């Protein structure tokens, strides 16, 4: 019966041992979990690994990337297409520059970093209706940012003011 797959046919050699005459085709893994991380469904958990940058090879269908308690200082434009990003307890000195370009990002945890200022375009892209999804959670507490200096327009793409967490900075 031919099912369209490469079949293996064994034949005996002169010593009587069976040797395969055809090998099945190589099928590379669809998703590779970054070294040291744990991946389950669309969640990639890479916390407490001492990472200094976002790992490569994050599966394309990842919706939550947990990078808390590392030593990450920045993210790059090509780091992850996500809905939820955990960068709390790292060494960020500013809001990562790539956030406005992450069209599906809804929740971002940036608390307990070294962020000293938040710019008006740090979360939301410039232009009307550019970002498809709106934030329903931004965590900035326990950063040395003077929250009274942050412009209200900074959070123009947030669904509700209660979704923003500020304050409680301690040295």
């Amino acid at each position: 019966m031919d099912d369209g797959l490469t079949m293996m046919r064994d034949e005996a050699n002169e010593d009587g041992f069976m040797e395969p005459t055809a090998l099945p085709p190589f099928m590379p893994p669809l998703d590779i979990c970054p070294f040291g991380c744990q991946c389950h469904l669309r969640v990639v958990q890479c916390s407490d690994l001492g990472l200094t940058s976002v790992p490569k090879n994050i599966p394309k269908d990842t919706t939550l990337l947990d990078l808390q308690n590392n030593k990450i200082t920045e993210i790059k434009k090509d780091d992850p297409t996500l809905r939820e990003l955990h960068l709390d307890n790292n060494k960020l000195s500013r809001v990562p520059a790539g956030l406005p370009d992450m069209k599906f990002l809804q929740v971002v945890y940036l608390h307990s970093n070294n962020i000293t200022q938040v710019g008006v375009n740090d979360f939301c892209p410039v232009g009307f209706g550019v970002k498809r999804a709106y934030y329903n959670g931004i965590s900035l507490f326990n950063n040395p940012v003077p929250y009274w200096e942050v412009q209200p327009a900074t959070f123009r793409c947030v669904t509700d003011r209660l979704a923003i967490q500020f304050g409680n900075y301690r040295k």
Side-chain angles (χ1 to χ4, degrees), residues 57-122:
N57 301 327
I58 295 172
K60 298 282 187 222
D61 65 344
T62 301
T63 57
L64 188 154
L65 177 59
D66 185 352
L67 293 167
Q68 64 183 324
N69 300 320
N70 281 293
K71 298 175 182 176
I72 295 172
T73 58
E74 66 179 347
I75 63 170
K76 297 184 176 53
K77 185 178 180 182
D78 295 330
D79 295 336
T81 304
L82 304 170
R83 295 191 192 288
E84 191 167 329
L85 179 60
H86 293 243
L87 285 167
D88 45 306
N89 294 308
N90 275 284
K91 298 191 181 297
L92 296 171
S93 58
R94 60 185 174 84
V95 175
L99 294 183
D101 298 326
M102 297 178 167
K103 295 180 181 178
F104 303 105
L105 190 63
Q106 297 174 356
V107 178
V108 61
Y109 291 96
L110 297 172
H111 57 272
S112 301
N113 276 287
N114 298 316
I115 298 171
T116 57
Q117 67 180 29
V118 178
V120 74
N121 295 318
D122 281 354

Side-chain angles (χ1 to χ4, degrees), residues 11 19-20 51 73 81 108 124 130 137 151 161:
E11 294 181 4
E19 292 183 11
L51 300 174
T73 58
T81 304
V108 61
C124 309
V130 178
Q151 300 297 315
R161 288 189 180 269

Side-chain angles (χ1 to χ4, degrees), residues 16-65:
F17 292 103
M18 301 297 276
E19 292 183 11
T21 56
L23 296 175
F26 175 71
M27 297 292 287
L30 296 176
D31 289 326
I32 299 172
C33 191
F35 180 77
C37 299
Q38 296 178 358
C39 300
H40 182 68
L41 298 175
R42 291 179 280 176
V43 176
V44 177
Q45 198 277 334
C46 302
S47 61
D48 301 301
L49 295 177
L51 300 174
T52 57
S53 64
V54 176
K56 304 296 179 213
N57 301 327
I58 295 172
K60 298 282 187 222
D61 65 344
T62 301
T63 57
L64 188 154
L65 177 59

Side-chain angles (χ1 to χ4, degrees), residues 119-134:
V120 74
N121 295 318
D122 281 354
F123 293 100
C124 309
V126 179
F128 180 74
V130 178
K131 188 175 176 85
R132 291 184 192 158
Y134 286 87

